[in-house]
Amino acid sequence: MALRVYDTRSRAKRDFEPHVPDKVRIYACGITPYSPSHLGHARQAIAFDVITRWLRHSGYDVHYVTNFTDIDDKIIAAANEQGVDFSQVAETNIADYYTVMDAMNVLRADAYPRVSETLPEIIDMVEILIEKGHAYVGNDGVYFDIDSAPEKYGQLTGQTLEMVRAGAGGRVAETGSGKRDHRDFALWKLAKSGEPSWGSPWGEGRPGWHIECSAMSLKHLGETFDIHGGGADLLFPHHEAEIFQSECCLGIEPVVKYWLHNGLINVDGEKMSKSLGNFWTISDTFEHVDPLSLRYALLNAPYRQPIEFNMAMLEESEKHHERMIAVYGAALVAAGSAAWAGCDTLEAASERFTTGMNDDFNSRTAMVEVQAVVRELRTLLDKGTDAELIAAGVGWLDEFAGDILGLLPAEDTVRASVAHGEGARSDLASIVEPLLEQRAAARTASDWTRADEIREELNALGVVVEDRPDGPVWRLE
RNA sequence: GCACGGGUGGCAGAGUAGCUAUGCAACGGACUGCAGAUCCGUGGACCCGGGUGCAAAUCCCGGCCCGUGCUCCA
C-alpha cells in the first residue's frame, strides 16, 4: 500500500507524491528558545523524526530542516529578566534542546537554520513583498497587507476575513500600531530603545514572527517543497501567514504540497502550554522515566491526535518499554541478530507495521506489531529453543523498533546493561544460592513458613524468586 | 459566537457497510503449598435522535459533549 498523508490544507488524506520522485523536502517549525524545552516540543520533534525515518526507510532521499527562532520578543523579555544578552538565552535553551532530543533518539535534522543567520534573506523577502504591493511601511514597522491577497485567507483554518474581522475589532487602535487593518501582521518591527536590532532599509529593527520561516524554508529547501509541519497551535496565524508571505513573494501556489500538524499534549483535559503554566519540561520528565520510555509514550498515539498526559500513562508506557528492552536484551545476548526475512510471522508483522505507517504515519498501529513481536520473542526465550528464530526476532526489532521508531538504545548499551545485570547477579549468587538451597529443603519438608521467610529475605536483597515447573529461578528487581 | 478536529469496552486505540481488532487492566482456568511468571479462555463498546441500505461504529441530516484556534505558544 502506498503512503497516504493527511494534509491540513485539503483536509483529507492524500496519496503522497513528492515534487521530485524519490526526494522529499521537509520543513518543520522548531522552537523559540526562550525557556527549556517542554513535552510539546518533544512530541513535535519525535513525530517528525519518525516521519523522516519512515520516509527514508521507504526509499526516499529526505532533506529535513527545522529551525530555531532565536530572535523573538519573548527571548528578549527573558534576557532582560535575567540580565543577560538575548543570544545567551537562546544558546542556553538550544543546548538544552539538543541534549534532551539526543537523549530521546531524535536524529539530527539536516539543517537547523536560525533567524539570526537569515536576516539578509528575510529583508530580501520583505522588499519583494513591498515591491509587489503585498506589504507596506507603517510608522513602527512593515506589515503584510491582507487585502492584497484576500483569497488566501483561511487556507488552513477555514476562517474567512469577515469572521476574524468580527472577532477582534478595536485591538489595533488600542495598541497604537501602524497596521492599517488588525488582521495585517508584522514583517519587520522597528526597534524601541534598548532592544537588540539589525539594520534594514526601513531602519533598525527585527523580523516579525512568521517571516523567518518563509525565508528559512526558501533558503534551505527552495521555492517549493513537499512537507511543512509543526504543532497544531501554529495553524493560525503562523502557518497562514507563511502561506501569504511565501506564495505572494514567489508568485507560486502552492509553495507547500502537504501541511502536517501534530496534535497537542493535554494535561487534565486542557492544552499543556507555557501560558497556562501546566507544562512539564522534558528534563523534568526525565526525572521520572527513561528518555526512551517517554519517547514510547509519545509514539503510542497517532501523531495528529491529542495526547492526554499524566503519570499513569507515563508509567504504563515505561512498563511496556522496559519489558521490550529486557526481552530485546535477553534475546540479543542469547542469539545475536539475524535477518528476519523468510520468517512468516515476522513477514506478516512487518506488513501490518508498514500498512499502519503508510496510513498517515500511524505509529500506534506500528507499535501494536512491535508489542506482538516482543511477546512472541518472550515466549521463545522461555522455551529456550530455536536460537535462529530468536535471532531473527532481534533483527526484526532492530529494524522496526530501533531504526524506524527509535525506541531501542544502542546495542552496546543493551549488552552492557545485560552484562551489568549479570554482574550484579553473580556478585549476589554466593549469598542467594545457599538461601535457595535452604528454601528448597524447607519446601521438600513442606515447611512453607520457613520457605516464605527465606523468600522474603531474598526480596529484601532485591532478589525476586519465581518457582517454575522445572525449579526456581531468580532475578534482580 | 465562528472555524477546524474528535466522540468506540475500565484506559489507550484500530476499524469508511456485512466476518474476534490489538495492548494494558478485569475475570475464569491450567501450573503452583502460596506468590510470581507463563499459557489457555471469558466478559465487556461503538454520544443521542432520525434517515438511506438486505445490512451502519462505518454513509446522510439534526442535536449534545470535548479539545484546539480566532494574532504569546510545538
Side-chain angles (χ1 to χ4, degrees):
Chain A
M1 191 185 88
L3 175 62
R4 287 167 64 77
V5 303
Y6 185 92
D7 169 39
T8 309
R9 194 174 194 174
S10 48
R11 284 178 210 118
K13 279 184 194 168
R14 296 168 54 199
D15 290 334
F16 183 71
E17 288 166 5
H19 284 99
V20 179
D22 303 329
K23 286 195 194 302
V24 182
R25 287 161 295 165
I26 306 181
Y27 183 92
C29 282
I31 61 161
T32 298
Y34 70 98
S35 64
S37 294
H38 60 71
L39 291 179
H41 301 130
R43 165 91 124 152
Q44 187 274 131
I46 290 169
F48 286 91
D49 180 46
V50 169
I51 286 170
T52 56
R53 283 168 182 255
W54 183 247
L55 290 169
R56 289 191 170 116
H57 178 83
S58 303
Y60 291 106
D61 176 14
V62 178
H63 193 64
Y64 173 46
V65 175
T66 191
N67 69 290
F68 292 119
T69 300
D70 64 346
I71 297 175
D72 172 88
D73 293 3
K74 284 190 296 262
I75 294 176
I76 295 170
N80 289 340
E81 212 168 279
Q82 297 163 28
V84 298
D85 190 70
F86 84 97
S87 60
Q88 195 177 323
V89 172
E91 288 309 326
T92 304
N93 291 309
I94 288 171
D96 172 74
Y97 178 88
Y98 282 132
T99 303
V100 295
M101 294 306 168
D102 286 348
M104 291 185 294
N105 268 357
V106 174
L107 298 177
R108 294 292 177 103
D110 295 300
Y112 289 94
R114 303 183 185 196
V115 182
S116 60
E117 297 164 351
T118 319
L119 287 153
E121 290 83 358
I122 290 172
I123 290 168
D124 283 351
M125 211 166 194
V126 176
E127 283 192 301
I128 293 171
L129 287 168
I130 293 173
E131 275 167 31
K132 291 193 172 182
H134 288 295
Y136 58 89
V137 182
N139 59 10
D140 57 351
V142 182
Y143 293 95
F144 189 92
D145 179 7
I146 289 288
D147 281 327
S148 72
E151 75 286 354
K152 291 193 191 296
Y153 214 86
Q155 291 286 309
L156 298 174
T157 57
Q159 303 180 100
T160 65
L161 278 173
E162 285 65 33
M163 287 168 185
V164 179
R165 197 197 301 277
R171 219 171 293 178
V172 177
E174 288 166 22
T175 60
S177 126
K179 288 182 188 182
R180 289 180 193 159
D181 187 300
H182 75 272
R183 296 157 305 171
D184 292 348
F185 52 88
L187 298 172
W188 187 264
K189 300 163 103 161
L190 293 179
K192 300 190 186 85
S193 65
E195 290 178 345
S197 64
W198 291 262
S200 84
W202 318 284
E204 288 281 313
R206 63 182 183 273
W209 182 46
H210 310 315
I211 188 68
E212 81 283 5
C213 282
S214 287
M216 289 187 269
S217 59
L218 173 62
K219 180 178 179 182
H220 289 269
L221 296 174
E223 295 193 338
T224 61
F225 53 100
D226 304 296
I227 292 175
H228 189 130
D233 54 347
L234 295 181
L235 238 27
F236 189 94
H238 187 58
H239 288 162
E240 292 216 348
E242 280 190 59
I243 290 178
F244 278 115
Q245 294 160 347
S246 297
E247 296 191 352
C248 290
C249 173
L250 298 166
I252 296 171
E253 179 179 323
V255 162
V256 173
K257 197 158 183 186
Y258 306 95
W259 284 91
L260 272 54
H261 291 96
N262 63 274
L264 306 180
I265 287 179
N266 294 150
V267 172
D268 295 330
E270 67 180 351
K271 182 177 75 164
M272 185 190 81
S273 74
K274 289 179 186 172
S275 51
L276 290 171
N278 62 347
F279 65 94
W280 300 47
T281 69
I282 299 171
S283 33
D284 281 348
T285 314
F286 289 175
E287 301 286 315
H288 295 97
V289 296
D290 182 89
L292 293 184
S293 291
L294 174 58
R295 181 181 175 102
Y296 188 104
L298 296 178
L299 285 174
N300 209 208
Y303 78 94
R304 296 182 58 245
Q305 294 306 121
I307 288 180
E308 179 64 34
F309 195 88
N310 54 54
M311 271 318 277
M313 70 81 85
L314 190 59
E315 281 168 2
E316 185 174 321
S317 291
E318 181 186 34
K319 186 173 76 179
H320 292 163
H321 182 250
E322 284 181 346
R323 182 166 63 187
M324 180 175 98
I325 303 300
V327 170
Y328 171 78
L332 180 64
V333 171
S337 168
W340 53 269
C343 167
D344 290 347
T345 315
L346 295 172
E347 298 261 12
S350 69
E351 223 166 89
R352 287 188 295 267
F353 185 105
T354 299
T355 301
M357 289 301 287
N358 275 342
D359 182 12
D360 198 30
F361 309 104
N362 192 332
S363 56
R364 166 67 201 189
T365 310
M367 300 253 285
V368 167
E369 291 310 315
V370 171
Q371 285 184 28
V373 170
V374 167
R375 194 177 168 199
E376 193 74 24
L377 210 45
R378 190 173 50 187
T379 309
L380 288 172
L381 282 167
D382 240 22
K383 288 180 186 153
T385 54
D386 217 332
E388 235 172 82
L389 208 48
I390 291 172
V394 170
W396 193 94
L397 286 177
D398 279 336
E399 181 169 339
F400 292 92
D403 295 347
I404 296 169
L405 295 176
L407 293 169
L408 299 179
E411 201 179 296
D412 289 349
T413 309
V414 177
R415 284 186 188 279
S417 146
V418 172
H420 179 265
E422 280 168 359
R425 229 184 109 90
S426 62
D427 290 347
L428 271 173
S430 58
I431 303 169
V432 172
E433 298 296 349
L435 286 170
L436 280 182
E437 277 169 35
Q438 290 176 34
R439 180 164 174 270
R443 293 183 75 210
T444 309
S446 295
D447 183 355
W448 310 126
T449 312
R450 178 62 191 144
D452 289 346
E453 269 175 24
I454 295 171
R455 186 163 62 193
E456 272 166 40
E457 279 175 45
L458 288 166
N459 284 161
L461 293 171
V463 174
V464 179
V465 182
E466 290 176 9
D467 295 313
R468 302 277 180 93
D470 51 355
V473 297
W474 63 280
R475 61 186 160 80
L476 296 171
E477 189 59 64

